[in-house]
Amino acid sequence: MAIEYAHSGKVRALDYNPNLPYVLATGGDDGSVRLWDARSPAAPLMEIANHTHWIYSVAFNPNHDQLLLSAGADGLVNLESTVSASSAQVVAAGLGGLSEVDSDDESDVGSDGSGGDRGEKPTDGLVVQYDDHETSVYAAKWSVADPWVFASLSFDGRLVINTVPREEKYKILLEMNGQQGQLSLSFVPANDAQAYVRSFQSNVGAGALRIGGDAARQVLMQSRLPVNELGRIWELSDMHKQGSLSLPEFALAMFLAQSRIKGKALPDTLPPAIRAEVDAANSRATHVPLATTPALHTPAANPLVMTQPQMSMQMVGMNRMLPPPNSMGS
């Protein structure tokens, strides 16, 4: 794939969204930042013109990919909100793709990318402009330890560390919390989704985004499926081998368990469409970047791989079952 004449002048900066790898950001000599969909690159998704000189660096936040840094020869570091081209927008659009962004959403973006009055929810626009440097800024990078911290480095060797403004951080977190408890997966009927949400919330602490292995095991073993099949369900559902399940992953596990109860065979691997859908939902529901690969950490043990005595002890005293088949998805 090639994008001809992406900028009027040289392209000096490039980054891709780690949660939507087909979304690219470029910065050029024309002082603009442009976002592209590699699947349809005829025109940019968004153009931002808040620099006055060459742009040397662009960087997506790996955890909250609606946040984009840019830095350039004008000595400025800009923090932009590009929510309409982020994974949050894809999930909100029902995974239909970025082309389904409503025109009403786009009306909030000014021609200069400033976004105007950005309200109480995350919207497109300039969040804040930092002028801490006196010379060209050659790099702006996000912290790998704290999703709200970033650093910039200028020609004169000055390193500046900044944080996302509290107001913007809370907008994003409140929006995420508003989405928590909502589940929209195409393979799970709405009534079943509500049951899965209730089960998830009753087994996690207040505000928790993931259910631990022990708690998830207690729920899944109520299906009375053989332990080897439950272990397989866990392997399919714990997609990033963290030893816990997000709400979308928990719903996937419940769906697979109920499908097995109905006599359907478990798949050897998840269908790509289902995996992509759950992954996109995860990017909205958790702080864990989808770009994280199992190779970067030791995979967590499968909590459903147990000895026979352990399994017997888990079965004693259980009086709750998964919802009956007629109340759950096929």
Side-chain angles (χ1 to χ4, degrees):
M1 184 203 76
I3 303 176
E4 296 186 3
Y5 307 109
H7 291 265
S8 57
K10 293 182 180 179
V11 176
R12 296 181 180 272
L14 172 69
D15 194 21
Y16 74 96
N17 185 326
N19 299 324
L20 295 176
Y22 51 83
V23 174
L24 309 175
T26 58
D29 283 359
D30 54 8
S32 70
V33 173
R34 293 178 181 176
L35 271 61
W36 307 85
D37 187 332
R39 303 169 302 176
S40 179
L45 292 169
M46 183 185 303
E47 181 169 353
I48 305 168
N50 289 324
H51 285 276
T52 60
H53 213 290
W54 300 348
I55 294 176
Y56 287 120
S57 180
V58 291
F60 284 101
N61 186 306
N63 299 78
H64 308 286
D65 54 51
Q66 62 266 63
L67 296 176
L68 178 70
L69 291 173
S70 63
D74 54 6
L76 298 176
V77 177
N78 290 341
L79 175 62
E80 304 278 355
S81 175
T82 60
V83 66
S84 68
S86 69
S87 59
Q89 177 62 36
V90 173
V91 174
L95 300 167
L98 296 176
S99 60
E100 296 191 3
V101 176
D102 293 336
S103 59
D104 289 343
D105 294 334
E106 293 177 349
S107 65
D108 291 336
V109 186
S111 60
D112 62 351
S114 63
D117 182 3
R118 304 186 57 250
E120 296 181 357
K121 292 186 176 182
T123 57
D124 292 343
L126 179 66
V127 177
V128 64
Q129 189 171 77
Y130 300 89
D131 59 358
D132 305 299
H133 296 277
E134 298 179 355
T135 57
S136 297
V137 183
Y138 283 107
K141 298 294 182 182
W142 292 97
S143 167
V144 297
D146 188 326
W148 309 108
V149 175
F150 59 91
S152 54
L153 179 66
S154 56
F155 175 77
D156 58 6
R158 186 175 190 181
L159 176 69
V160 177
I161 297 176
N162 276 303
T163 60
V164 175
R166 179 179 300 179
E167 295 80 4
E168 190 69 16
K169 174 181 175 180
Y170 286 160
K171 285 180 185 179
I172 293 172
L173 292 178
L174 288 172
E175 184 75 2
M176 290 176 62
N177 289 337
Q179 292 291 332
Q180 189 181 356
Q182 299 180 21
L183 181 66
S184 178
L185 296 171
S186 63
F187 56 90
V188 178
N191 289 341
D192 295 346
Q194 294 175 5
Y196 298 162
V197 169
R198 288 194 296 270
S199 180
F200 181 87
Q201 292 178 335
S202 67
N203 284 279
V204 300
L209 297 176
R210 304 186 68 86
I211 182 172
D214 289 341
R217 180 177 62 191
Q218 293 283 350
V219 175
L220 289 171
M221 289 192 66
Q222 294 164 25
S223 68
R224 308 288 176 174
L225 290 171
V227 70
N228 64 313
E229 294 186 356
L230 291 175
R232 182 62 188 149
I233 290 172
W234 181 272
E235 290 291 333
L236 292 168
S237 303
D238 183 16
M239 298 196 307
H240 297 284
K241 311 307 177 194
Q242 295 180 257
S244 60
L245 301 178
S246 66
L247 175 55
E249 291 171 336
F250 177 77
L252 172 62
M254 297 286 279
F255 169 79
L256 291 172
Q258 188 60 32
S259 296
R260 186 70 189 105
I261 289 172
K262 292 182 176 182
K264 295 186 177 181
L266 293 173
D268 293 331
T269 59
L270 285 178
I274 288 181
R275 184 178 182 89
E277 191 170 349
V278 174
D279 251 348
N282 276 338
S283 74
R284 183 62 175 166
T286 74
H287 292 276
V288 179
L290 301 185
T292 300
T293 62
L296 297 179
H297 56 80
T298 303
N302 187 329
L304 283 157
V305 175
M306 300 179 294
T307 63
Q308 187 63 36
Q310 287 176 315
M311 184 180 71
S312 300
M313 292 182 64
Q314 290 292 336
M315 300 299 293
V316 174
M318 287 189 174
N319 55 14
R320 293 182 300 161
M321 297 290 291
L322 285 170
N326 62 2
S327 69
M328 302 182 73
S330 58

